[in-house]
Amino acid sequence: AELRSFITNEQQRTRIQSQTHNLTDMCWKKCVTGPIKSGTLDKGDSTCLANCVERFLDVNIATMKHLSNMRQ
Amino acid sequence: AELRSFITNEQQRTRIQSQTHNLTDMCWKKCVTGPIKSGTLDKGDSTCLANCVERFLDVNIATMKHLSNMRQ
Amino acid sequence: AELRSFITNEQQRTRIQSQTHNLTDMCWKKCVTGPIKSGTLDKGDSTCLANCVERFLDVNIATMKHLSNMRQ
Amino acid sequence: MDSESVKRAIIKQVLTESNMANARQLIEKINDNCFDKCIPKPGSSVSSSEQTCITQCMEKYMAAWNQVNSAYLRRIQQEVGNNGGL
Amino acid sequence: MDSESVKRAIIKQVLTESNMANARQLIEKINDNCFDKCIPKPGSSVSSSEQTCITQCMEKYMAAWNQVNSAYLRRIQQEVGNNGGL
Amino acid sequence: MDSESVKRAIIKQVLTESNMANARQLIEKINDNCFDKCIPKPGSSVSSSEQTCITQCMEKYMAAWNQVNSAYLRRIQQEVGNNGGL
């Protein structure tokens, strides 16, 4: 039982990490558009990345609601 | 036997749906280039999408013929 | 034993071929930017493709070194 | 459970999974393409014009999927008619 | 080997594989995005300005990953709090 | 069937499948890249200049694949020579 809940948690962690890789890739392309000038995120990059994640998830939720309304 | 033919049909349907997802993604990027102004396809989008599928399959068939000629 | 070493070699060959497909796709997009004028690679394309592979592998090795230094 | 019920249960299970996989792929593609098109610069909330764009984009993308699907099926039929295979 | 040791061995194995898969995905994305950004025209060697760009790009990409990860986890928590599921 | 024939059959099967997977990947990449390059605006048929572009593009893409493959293999050999692993 302990092992089973460990496996379930691990599978969820893997899904979240994999989705984080996709989100980072997409939001990097949208937000970090100029040449690289330092190894840290400046204020603009940082705000854009946080907003990018939030807005993508808004769109995600809206799509699922829209499709589930259509089906009824 | 009935079950087997059901499975075979299902596998084919899945391949076609999956290819439809790829074609829609590619042809959407090629044909729907301006800003979204309505929830329906206008005449230009619609013609472009139909041509995009047909021409992509023309290229697909040409590639397979070319490669199979080369091998002989 | 002979069969096992055949399988190991084959797995390696498959990985290399699959990586070649990814590299060709990426370097084609980077190097073959103008319209297609012939069925052969001109001098510029050819130099760019060879450099593209070498420089990508340089970046690859640098990333792995950087990450393994960080971990220590 | 007799063998006929087992068969029906398997068929139902396969159809459900196949429809879910199809819906999942459609949702992913809609999210990627409509986010890209409607929210070029993500702000602190979804504006009302972005919201309109997203709703229209979803409907338009599904219309595009249906049209591509019909065109693809029509062509497959035609190729099978011509020479027995794509 | 008693059952407790077997369990610990399995947990260790799963964690190792999961961390390796995560690192592999991160390395792939860094290579693709930083090569694309820092080496637009590949020359006969990596120039020193390209080298600087690559080192900074790696660090910046990892910082972006961490920020996206936190924002994503925060949002998941919030959605679970709101209505019991994303 | 003796064990030597079984072995040869397995080897043949694995080689066939591996070559088919390689050809399938090459065809996919050629279709995507050459369609993208030669048919920017799909019309009601493939024009003769598009047809010429596609034939040349296929040959050029295969030449690119061969060159990338050689460069990659050469580099792997070199890295293995330098420090026993890529």
Side-chain angles (χ1 to χ4, degrees):
Chain A
E2 193 200 332
L3 195 57
R4 192 166 296 170
S5 87
F6 164 75
I7 298 284
T8 310
N9 280 337
E10 265 307 291
Q11 286 173 335
Q12 200 189 358
R13 202 170 69 99
T14 301
R15 265 201 308 280
I16 290 173
Q17 281 182 345
S18 169
Q19 177 70 351
T20 299
H21 286 296
N22 292 335
L23 280 168
T24 308
D25 189 46
M26 187 189 63
C27 293
W28 172 271
K29 289 185 168 77
K30 236 184 173 66
C31 296
V32 186
T33 49
I36 303 281
K37 285 173 199 150
S38 86
T40 54
L41 296 167
D42 63 34
K43 194 70 176 54
D45 296 335
S46 189
T47 308
C48 182
L49 287 169
N51 285 338
C52 178
V53 173
E54 293 286 353
R55 299 298 79 73
F56 184 79
L57 295 173
D58 287 343
V59 170
N60 209 316
I61 291 169
T63 308
M64 285 192 289
K65 272 194 190 141
H66 193 81
L67 287 183
S68 92
N69 286 344
M70 268 180 48
R71 200 170 299 182
Q72 279 153 15
Chain B
E2 191 199 333
L3 195 57
R4 191 166 296 170
S5 87
F6 164 76
I7 298 284
T8 310
N9 280 337
E10 265 307 293
Q11 286 173 335
Q12 200 188 358
R13 202 169 69 99
T14 301
R15 264 201 309 279
I16 290 173
Q17 281 183 344
S18 168
Q19 177 70 349
T20 300
H21 286 296
N22 292 335
L23 280 168
T24 308
D25 189 46
M26 188 189 62
C27 294
W28 172 271
K29 290 187 168 77
K30 235 183 173 69
C31 295
V32 186
T33 48
I36 304 281
K37 285 174 201 149
S38 85
T40 55
L41 295 168
D42 64 33
K43 194 69 176 57
D45 296 335
S46 189
T47 308
C48 182
L49 286 169
N51 285 337
C52 177
V53 173
E54 293 286 354
R55 299 298 78 73
F56 184 79
L57 295 173
D58 288 342
V59 171
N60 208 316
I61 292 169
T63 308
M64 286 191 289
K65 273 195 190 141
H66 194 80
L67 287 183
S68 93
N69 285 344
M70 268 179 49
R71 198 170 301 183
Q72 279 154 13
Chain C
E2 191 199 333
L3 195 58
R4 192 166 296 171
S5 87
F6 164 77
I7 298 284
T8 310
N9 280 337
E10 265 307 292
Q11 286 173 334
Q12 199 189 358
R13 202 169 70 99
T14 300
R15 264 200 309 278
I16 290 173
Q17 281 182 345
S18 168
Q19 177 69 350
T20 300
H21 286 296
N22 292 335
L23 280 169
T24 308
D25 189 46
M26 188 189 61
C27 293
W28 172 271
K29 289 186 169 77
K30 236 184 173 66
C31 296
V32 186
T33 49
I36 304 281
K37 285 174 198 150
S38 86
T40 54
L41 295 168
D42 64 34
K43 194 69 177 53
D45 296 335
S46 189
T47 309
C48 182
L49 287 169
N51 285 337
C52 178
V53 174
E54 293 286 353
R55 299 299 76 75
F56 184 78
L57 295 173
D58 288 343
V59 170
N60 208 317
I61 291 169
T63 308
M64 287 192 289
K65 272 194 191 142
H66 194 80
L67 287 183
S68 93
N69 285 345
M70 269 180 47
R71 199 169 302 182
Q72 281 155 13
Chain D
M1 208 148 108
D2 60 88
S3 101
E4 193 53 40
S5 328
V6 170
K7 207 191 283 179
R8 275 202 303 271
I10 292 176
I11 287 180
K12 207 181 149 193
Q13 168 79 359
V14 169
L15 282 175
T16 306
E17 280 177 15
S18 154
N19 289 337
M20 275 180 57
N22 192 39
R24 204 181 328 107
Q25 279 185 78
L26 182 61
I27 289 171
E28 262 185 38
K29 295 291 193 186
I30 288 177
N31 287 339
D32 288 351
N33 282 299
C34 295
F35 181 67
D36 195 49
K37 212 166 187 63
C38 297
I39 311 198
K41 287 169 194 246
S44 59
S45 68
V46 175
S47 74
S48 75
S49 67
E50 286 171 347
Q51 188 53 64
T52 307
C53 178
I54 286 168
T55 310
Q56 292 180 338
C57 182
M58 281 176 199
E59 283 165 10
K60 196 162 185 158
Y61 196 90
M62 284 188 274
W65 196 92
N66 282 326
Q67 174 159 6
V68 166
N69 195 230
S70 323
Y72 184 39
L73 290 175
R74 200 166 48 232
R75 178 67 177 264
I76 290 175
Q77 298 275 308
Q78 192 185 312
E79 294 293 329
V80 171
N82 285 349
N83 47 30
L86 186 56
Chain E
M1 208 146 107
D2 60 87
S3 100
E4 193 54 40
S5 328
V6 170
K7 209 192 282 179
R8 277 202 303 272
I10 292 175
I11 287 179
K12 208 181 147 192
Q13 169 79 358
V14 169
L15 282 175
T16 307
E17 281 177 14
S18 155
N19 289 337
M20 275 179 58
N22 192 40
R24 204 181 329 107
Q25 279 185 78
L26 183 60
I27 289 172
E28 262 185 38
K29 295 290 191 184
I30 288 177
N31 288 338
D32 288 350
N33 282 298
C34 295
F35 181 68
D36 195 50
K37 214 170 185 59
C38 297
I39 312 199
K41 286 169 195 245
S44 60
S45 69
V46 176
S47 74
S48 75
S49 67
E50 285 170 346
Q51 188 54 62
T52 307
C53 179
I54 285 167
T55 311
Q56 292 180 339
C57 182
M58 281 176 199
E59 283 164 12
K60 197 163 186 158
Y61 197 89
M62 284 189 274
W65 196 92
N66 283 326
Q67 173 158 7
V68 166
N69 196 230
S70 322
Y72 185 38
L73 289 176
R74 199 165 52 232
R75 178 66 178 265
I76 290 175
Q77 299 275 308
Q78 193 185 311
E79 294 293 331
V80 171
N82 284 349
N83 46 30
L86 185 58
Chain F
M1 207 147 107
D2 60 88
S3 101
E4 193 53 41
S5 329
V6 170
K7 208 192 283 177
R8 276 202 302 272
I10 292 176
I11 288 179
K12 206 180 149 193
Q13 168 80 357
V14 169
L15 283 174
T16 307
E17 280 176 15
S18 155
N19 290 337
M20 274 181 58
N22 192 39
R24 204 181 329 107
Q25 279 185 78
L26 183 60
I27 289 171
E28 261 184 38
K29 295 290 192 185
I30 288 177
N31 287 338
D32 288 350
N33 281 298
C34 296
F35 181 68
D36 195 50
K37 213 167 186 61
C38 298
I39 312 199
K41 286 169 194 247
S44 60
S45 68
V46 176
S47 74
S48 75
S49 66
E50 285 170 348
Q51 188 53 62
T52 306
C53 179
I54 285 167
T55 309
Q56 291 180 339
C57 182
M58 283 175 198
E59 282 164 12
K60 197 161 185 157
Y61 197 90
M62 285 189 274
W65 196 92
N66 282 326
Q67 175 159 6
V68 166
N69 196 230
S70 323
Y72 184 38
L73 289 175
R74 200 165 50 232
R75 179 67 177 264
I76 290 175
Q77 298 275 309
Q78 192 185 310
E79 294 293 331
V80 170
N82 286 350
N83 46 31
L86 185 57

